[in-house]
Amino acid sequence: TLVDLDPYLSPYHGEIEGRSRRFAEILSGIESAHGSLEAYARGYQYFGFQFQPDGSVLFREWAPGAHRIYLTGDFNGWNRESHPLTRGPDGIWEIRLEGAAAAALEHGTAVKLHVISDDGGRDRGLS
């Protein structure tokens, strides 16, 4: 153990063991749900805006508690209902934008999600 390697850590043995156990539990959960820590870390390649070779834009968001989600922003005149996302498995929502809507999503375009949940409707910024 770490304490065996460094006896000066012996007063913290319980804390170190507790943190090590907690890390192992979290890592096990990640690996169980995502296959590996690397796959989990590559979530940015699946979620958010994904620009496709055909010119379309795919957007995904994980929001298991949402009832409805809409994408709104400069590209649609801030219309909170014109671009609904579709709920998929495990609370993953997505929308594919094509044509003018996809072309309007260039770097620096302001966008938000309008999320309808048990608490009502709220805008949420994207970073």
Side-chain angles (χ1 to χ4, degrees):
T1 67
L2 190 58
V3 175
D4 293 334
L5 295 173
D6 188 348
Y8 288 106
L9 295 175
S10 60
Y12 311 103
H13 184 267
E15 182 68 26
I16 292 169
E17 290 298 316
R19 288 182 183 201
S20 294
R21 274 193 307 278
R22 183 69 180 130
F23 170 77
E25 290 169 9
I26 291 170
L27 181 60
S28 176
I30 289 171
E31 290 174 340
S32 174
H34 301 279
S36 70
L37 183 59
E38 180 181 0
Y40 176 74
R42 293 184 183 276
Y44 70 94
Q45 294 175 329
Y46 183 78
F47 290 103
F49 289 100
Q50 305 296 323
F51 293 83
Q52 305 298 304
D54 66 359
S56 67
V57 178
L58 185 60
F59 176 81
R60 292 188 190 100
E61 178 75 10
W62 182 70
H67 299 299
R68 292 186 308 277
I69 300 180
Y70 301 90
L71 187 64
T72 184
D74 290 339
F75 75 99
N76 69 357
W78 295 97
N79 183 326
R80 287 189 175 132
E81 296 181 353
S82 66
H83 290 82
L85 280 71
T86 302
R87 185 185 175 107
D90 301 323
I92 298 172
W93 295 78
E94 72 177 38
I95 186 172
R96 180 178 297 273
L97 301 171
E98 299 175 315
L105 286 176
E106 56 189 31
H107 183 72
T109 300
V111 292
K112 289 185 178 186
L113 291 177
H114 185 66
V115 180
I116 310 292
S117 66
D118 288 338
D119 298 334
R122 296 183 183 191
D123 287 347
R124 204 184 90 204
L126 300 170
S127 51

